[in-house]
Amino acid sequence: MSIRDFIQALPKAELHLHIEGTLEPELMFALAQRNKVNLPYSSIDALRAAYDFGNLQDFLDLYYQGMSVLQTEQDYYDLTWSYLEKSRAQNLLHTEIFFDPQGHTERGIEFSTVFNGIHQALTDGQRKLNISSELIMCFLRHLDEADAFSTLQQALPYKDHIIGVGLDSSELGHPPGKFKNVFARAREAGFLPVAHAGEEGPADYVASALDDLHIVRIDHGNRCLDDAELTARIAAAQIPLTVCPLSNLKLCVVKNMQQHPLRQMLDKGLLVTLNSDDPAYFGGYINENYLAVQVALNLSREELAGLARNSFKASFLPDQLKQAMIAKVDAVEIHQT
Ligand code: HPA
Ligand code: ZN
């Protein structure tokens, strides 16, 4: 079995995926036409050519522009369904999906329109594709905390179908502590807290996400490695990191894949998972992320299987299901015959 086939055969979970970041240029153009939105690109190729980012903000500018084509429940359904079909074909068994309500409500789209479209697709994904899923609602950190409070309020009627709250968008200048109160309220309401931290921001931001927001999983987390004591603390507590290799490369968080700190993270005993973040913008879904680090860092099949096991271990699945999924990873033949 080739390494590519081995990665394909591994049952996997994805824990860091922005549904708006799965909007492929073809669907973006189709929805622009359907909703009579003008895109400032003459063709799909011209749009793809613009995906050349120097940092996180360069990407976010196009990400928010891109999501402006999403307007109806059907649009959100089509977006989500397309991600689920692609992922199921890569042997993804479970996914925990971020969405950015403020990226839509700011443009006058109702929270219910966004939620209903995504949720219906996830329900169909469970039934027709046998892929399980959870939803995590993110607050945009470049907006203020009052805006996040209002978003939390709008989410309350859908609480039974939204497992957690997260924090994303422009990191530098927006430390986690800015959202201390709204995270406290969200935790009281029963949402599990996660946050992007240490993607571009310093190790201090990772510490603040832990201490001020009491997060149970760290999205990215790369920069925690700058602080040995913090790294040891995260490893000891086995707080998972949702690492996104192709995202890190495209957003210049790493210079090249050979310099990706994944192996360092593993060596320090961190509970690391691999994820695609915004696959339509960063050039690959889950398997392409596994393959990119395997090639660059020469990961063994045991190490790849370990990362797949971690993806279930770090998920919000109930323990019994985690064990059942991990048993499926164990059943994949590691040794070449
Ligand atoms: N970082 C911060 N915000 C985001 C990202 C990311 O990688 N993707 C979508 N919003
Ligand atoms: Zn992200």
Side-chain angles (χ1 to χ4, degrees):
M1 197 188 326
S2 71
I3 200 76
R4 212 177 264 276
D5 292 346
F6 179 74
I7 290 169
Q8 168 67 33
L10 283 175
K12 294 163 293 279
E14 176 148 67
L15 309 177
H16 184 153
L17 180 281
H18 303 263
I19 198 63
E20 298 91 343
T22 69
L23 180 56
E24 291 285 347
E26 289 77 8
L27 184 59
M28 197 192 293
F29 266 75
L31 295 182
Q33 197 164 32
R34 188 151 105 187
N35 295 326
K36 307 194 169 39
V37 175
N38 262 327
L39 288 173
Y41 302 95
S42 55
S43 66
I44 290 172
D45 286 344
L47 174 59
R48 259 189 223 286
Y51 292 175
D52 181 20
F53 314 116
N55 56 36
L56 173 59
Q57 193 59 50
D58 285 353
F59 154 69
L60 289 170
D61 292 344
L62 288 199
Y63 170 77
Y64 294 120
Q65 174 184 276
M67 68 172 81
S68 70
V69 304
L70 297 165
Q71 302 198 351
T72 67
E73 218 168 282
Q74 186 68 46
D75 300 340
Y76 290 95
Y77 183 96
D78 293 347
L79 175 73
T80 308
W81 184 253
S82 160
Y83 162 71
L84 291 174
E85 278 193 318
K86 284 194 193 81
S87 298
R88 193 63 191 83
Q90 296 202 344
N91 209 15
L92 193 76
L93 301 190
H94 176 71
T95 181
E96 298 183 0
I97 295 179
F98 295 130
F99 72 118
D100 284 330
Q102 290 156 298
H104 312 288
T105 53
E106 263 192 331
R107 301 181 281 116
I109 312 292
E110 295 289 334
F111 190 102
S112 59
T113 302
V114 180
F115 174 84
N116 289 338
I118 297 173
H119 182 252
Q120 188 58 52
L122 296 181
T123 305
D124 289 352
Q126 175 69 264
R127 199 164 47 90
K128 297 185 185 162
L129 302 173
N130 202 23
I131 181 162
S132 59
S133 53
E134 296 290 355
L135 259 183
I136 300 171
M137 169 179 91
C138 286
F139 302 121
L140 299 183
R141 68 203 304 160
H142 67 273
L143 301 177
D144 60 26
E145 195 182 35
D147 218 309
F149 263 110
S150 139
T151 303
L152 179 59
Q153 198 63 32
Q154 293 173 65
L156 289 179
Y158 308 97
K159 198 169 85 50
D160 291 350
H161 301 294
I162 300 176
I163 201 166
V165 294
L167 189 63
D168 66 0
S169 192
S170 322
E171 187 178 12
L172 286 169
H174 303 286
K178 178 177 168 188
F179 296 92
K180 196 177 165 121
N181 299 313
V182 73
F183 266 71
R185 177 82 62 85
R187 291 196 314 276
E188 276 164 30
F191 293 98
L192 296 173
V194 301
H196 285 54
E199 179 183 21
E200 284 189 344
D204 280 0
Y205 281 25
V206 180
S208 162
L210 293 170
D211 296 330
D212 296 328
L213 308 185
H214 302 277
I215 59 167
V216 296
R217 203 159 69 195
I218 304 166
D219 296 315
H220 295 296
N222 300 37
R223 295 282 303 277
C224 82
L225 294 170
D226 297 342
D227 181 336
E229 209 172 303
L230 177 65
T231 304
R233 172 186 168 195
I234 295 167
Q238 288 288 281
I239 299 166
L241 264 58
T242 62
V243 170
C244 307
L246 288 173
S247 165
N248 290 160
L249 184 66
K250 282 294 267 185
L251 300 186
C252 307
V253 168
V254 296
K255 278 201 194 71
N256 55 55
M257 206 53 101
Q258 288 70 33
Q259 287 183 23
H260 195 283
L262 177 74
R263 190 177 283 287
Q264 251 171 286
M265 291 168 165
L266 292 170
D267 288 348
K268 292 188 189 300
L270 292 166
L271 179 54
V272 185
T273 66
L274 295 181
N275 308 275
S276 71
D277 206 1
D278 301 281
Y281 292 89
F282 300 151
Y285 286 77
I286 194 76
N287 284 354
E288 287 80 23
N289 275 275
Y290 274 71
L291 188 61
V293 281
Q294 192 284 324
V295 169
L297 306 174
N298 195 25
L299 298 185
S300 66
R301 293 178 188 221
E302 281 81 3
E303 285 170 320
L304 292 169
L307 288 161
R309 264 183 221 105
N310 285 355
S311 74
F312 293 109
K313 199 169 169 194
S315 74
F316 294 143
L317 283 167
D319 275 344
Q320 214 179 352
L321 268 177
K322 282 188 189 182
Q323 293 317 318
M325 297 288 179
I326 289 169
K328 287 185 198 232
V329 177
D330 294 340
V332 178
E333 187 67 58
I334 285 208
H335 299 288
Q336 283 174 286
T337 49

